[in-house]
Amino acid sequence: MIQTTAPGKIILFGEHAVVYGRPAIAIPVSEVCATATIEVSDSQTFLIAPDLSMEMAMAEAEADNPIAVAIRIVETSIKELPPMRVTVTSSIPIASGLGSGAAISAAIIRGVTQFMDWPVSNKFVSELAFEVEKIHHGTPSGIDNTVVAYESPIYFIHYETYNEIKRFKAKRPLTFVIADTGIKSPTKVAVGDVRKEWEANPEMFNALFDRCGQVAEAGRAAIQAGRINEVGRLMSENHILLQTMTVSSPELDNLVNIAVQAGALGAKLSGAGRGGNIIALVEDGEKATAVSEALRQAGAKSIFVTTLEK
Ligand code: PMV
């Protein structure tokens, strides 16, 4: 039996603009993860997802079944797999901006290749997870699959034919409170709506994307130099840019405002928006407790804290 995991992720800067070639920054979040368990099967391949009450033969799975898609992509890229039982569980909320889909794909790809004793690099896991993302999301930038496969903070630029991926370190630890509106929001819909807005108002949206890119650049410099107040200020600016792009919501704005009022250095929606999670940067553990409590009272559905170590 083989068991593999892949973490969730948050985007600190640059979601949506990253689809249009601007830089963005994401970090893995190991407090939540997807797990794939691969076991021998003597007859045919079975797909099992207890959280979804799913247990079926792969031959009966719909074409877009996410477990089946990930397995088929491994088969297409390497070679046919023998029958196996593939069980997937995940503590990452679905459609909430925490990279659940990419983490599930990465855990399965790692799991089945380890089960076969096929050594694969993080780059390979990321590339295959990207193929799955394309089937589910249409035009992904690739940032989700990259950060969950590399399990490292990344500065990411998506070009037409390749991606620029730089790992970096924080000079001071950064602590984030992550709070869920409880509203599910499919990435594909928000990304599609931004595309329509961009097509209708190219000048305005290109300028918004440019500014997001500059904020991400400045954010990376501030993280690397340990300028924590500036990181917070830039996060709040990024949230306003995302509001202007129409991907925030009253619930997200409310949680962002509550976090800042309770002492966060900055806060923003993270991921595709419209629902899902906000992230708030706090100075220390004491502030994390105060901000978490304020968010709980404001109705956040789940709250947890993650730290990007230096
Ligand atoms: O899948 P989510 O909700 O974590 O968002 C992904 C980030 C986007 O920039 C909105 C889309 C993309 O492919 O980069």
Side-chain angles (χ1 to χ4, degrees):
M1 184 187 96
I2 290 283
Q3 197 159 66
T4 46
T5 62
K9 69 99 223 293
I10 50 177
I11 297 183
L12 302 190
F13 299 107
E15 50 274 268
H16 287 290
V18 69
V19 175
Y20 300 84
R22 280 28 169 225
I25 291 179
I27 65 169
V29 173
S30 56
E31 285 76 9
V32 287
C33 71
T35 304
T37 307
I38 321 295
E39 294 162 289
V40 176
S41 164
D42 44 18
S43 53
Q44 51 179 323
T45 292
F46 286 99
L47 316 179
I48 302 145
D51 307 341
L52 306 174
S53 310
M54 182 180 107
E55 173 150 7
M56 62 169 75
M58 180 148 147
E60 283 156 24
E62 307 240 329
D64 63 350
N65 178 298
I67 308 179
V69 171
I71 294 172
R72 272 193 219 105
I73 282 186
V74 174
E75 291 190 311
T76 318
S77 312
I78 311 183
K79 62 178 174 203
E80 210 174 309
L81 294 158
M84 46 180 73
R85 287 174 66 82
V86 180
T87 306
V88 177
T89 57
S90 177
S91 56
I92 311 171
I94 295 168
S96 303
L98 297 183
S100 148
I104 287 172
S105 302
I108 295 170
I109 293 159
R110 262 195 219 298
V112 297
T113 50
Q114 271 187 34
F115 184 79
M116 297 305 294
D117 255 334
W118 293 336
V120 291
S121 63
N122 290 339
K123 184 167 180 280
F124 184 82
V125 173
S126 176
E127 283 169 1
L128 262 55
F130 182 62
E131 293 305 312
V132 184
E133 293 276 282
K134 280 202 283 197
I135 290 170
H136 297 310
H137 299 311
T139 58
S141 66
I143 191 168
D144 280 18
N145 49 280
T146 304
V147 67
V148 305
Y150 285 74
E151 296 192 41
S152 157
I154 56 155
Y155 167 91
F156 180 92
I157 308 180
H158 172 57
Y159 293 106
E160 220 162 278
T161 51
Y162 74 103
N163 295 323
E164 184 179 329
I165 300 161
K166 285 194 184 133
R167 301 191 202 198
F168 66 93
K169 286 209 165 93
K171 190 163 181 198
R172 281 180 57 181
L174 297 180
T175 298
F176 298 94
V177 179
I178 302 174
D180 200 342
T181 58
I183 298 165
K184 305 279 178 227
S185 167
T187 303
K188 196 176 182 172
V189 175
V191 169
D193 288 353
V194 169
R195 184 164 296 275
K196 278 184 215 137
E197 297 281 347
W198 173 67
E199 281 163 359
N201 295 296
E203 262 176 41
M204 176 189 162
F205 271 69
N206 284 333
L208 285 168
F209 297 153
D210 282 344
R211 185 59 200 151
C212 287
Q214 288 159 2
V215 164
E217 293 279 5
R220 178 171 69 146
I223 293 169
Q224 285 177 317
R227 295 192 301 267
I228 179 171
N229 287 300
E230 190 182 340
V231 177
R233 187 183 61 69
L234 290 163
M235 283 171 58
S236 292
E237 178 177 347
N238 200 159
H239 183 71
I240 294 167
L241 294 166
L242 289 161
Q243 275 179 333
T244 317
M245 275 179 219
T246 76
V247 293
S248 193
S249 70
E251 295 82 2
L252 285 163
D253 290 344
N254 182 40
L255 294 185
V256 162
N257 292 337
I258 296 281
V260 172
Q261 279 161 23
L265 300 170
K268 64 184 277 291
L269 71 84
S270 183
R274 297 273 167 82
N277 282 266
I278 67 125
I279 58 173
L281 177 66
V282 291
E283 216 162 341
D284 53 30
E286 212 175 293
K287 277 273 157 52
T289 309
V291 169
S292 300
E293 190 44 42
L295 289 166
R296 198 179 319 278
Q297 279 178 21
K301 296 293 176 285
S302 92
I303 300 159
F304 66 98
V305 176
T306 190
T307 298
L308 170 62
E309 298 298 345
K310 60 179 183 179

